[in-house]
Amino acid sequence: MQFRHMATGFVVILSLAGCQRTAYNDASYSAPAPLTAQPVPSVQGGQLPPPSGSAQFPAAPTTSAPVAGGQPGAMAANAMDVTKESMVGSWRVNGSCDMFLTLTNLGSGSRGGTRGCVGELTAMGSWEVSGKQVLLKDRSGNQIGSVYKTADNAFSGQTNTGQPISLSR
């Protein structure tokens, strides 16, 4: 029995001997040498060539009916049914910025926001589905615009000040 205790003690002592504290001694530590600067080629300036293809924007699609009366909240006669779940995710707004819609509750709607947009859309903070429309709201819950479904993964509408909104994926 005593041999077993001695062997166990010996193993514990050997194990502890392997555990050493490793720390830098400030006197022995030296900072690495600074890197040498690399030459930078000169920067050239000039006008970019025009983009390939047509220099004009394509004509607007004519498949959807215009917004009735141009009033915020008004929608075309051919508006399609929309569900909250189908709206969740990332949308391209007017081909130039992004809108993100989630199912996280925020007031009476769900959390949403934009990145890179201009005008009233910069204040967007929430959204909700009302009938066949998607209402866009600011962070205080005030409606700033609305869109309606015109095709699969396509919505059209406008802000309260008349700024057109088209969403696509």
Side-chain angles (χ1 to χ4, degrees):
M1 214 38 155
Q2 287 220 355
F3 176 73
R4 194 180 261 178
H5 291 299
M6 283 180 36
T8 303
F10 184 69
V11 170
V12 169
I13 291 172
L14 282 176
S15 299
L16 292 176
C19 298
Q20 296 178 2
R21 181 174 174 207
T22 55
Y24 291 109
N25 182 355
D26 290 336
S28 66
Y29 177 74
S30 63
L35 297 173
T36 57
Q38 297 294 316
V40 178
S42 63
V43 177
Q44 297 177 0
Q47 192 70 4
L48 291 174
S52 61
S54 174
Q56 298 294 323
F57 289 105
T62 58
T63 57
S64 64
V67 174
Q71 297 297 319
M75 62 184 157
N78 67 338
M80 301 167 66
D81 290 331
V82 61
T83 63
K84 196 170 189 177
E85 292 76 17
S86 68
M87 294 300 300
V88 174
S90 175
W91 292 88
R92 194 75 176 148
V93 181
N94 300 337
S96 63
C97 63
D98 297 305
M99 181 181 291
F100 306 98
L101 306 178
T102 71
L103 289 177
T104 306
N105 289 338
L106 182 67
S108 65
S110 296
R111 188 176 302 276
T114 60
R115 177 180 61 198
C117 293
V118 296
E120 286 178 283
L121 293 177
T122 59
M124 184 190 158
S126 68
W127 65 282
E128 67 180 79
V129 173
S130 175
K132 292 185 176 187
Q133 288 186 314
V134 179
L135 306 178
L136 308 175
K137 299 181 174 186
D138 64 15
R139 291 170 188 91
S140 300
N142 303 314
Q143 184 176 338
I144 58 172
S146 63
V147 294
Y148 58 92
K149 187 173 184 177
T150 57
D152 286 343
N153 294 321
F155 288 78
S156 291
Q158 64 184 9
T159 65
N160 289 347
T161 60
Q163 176 185 358
I165 305 172
S166 73
L167 304 180
S168 62
R169 289 194 206 217

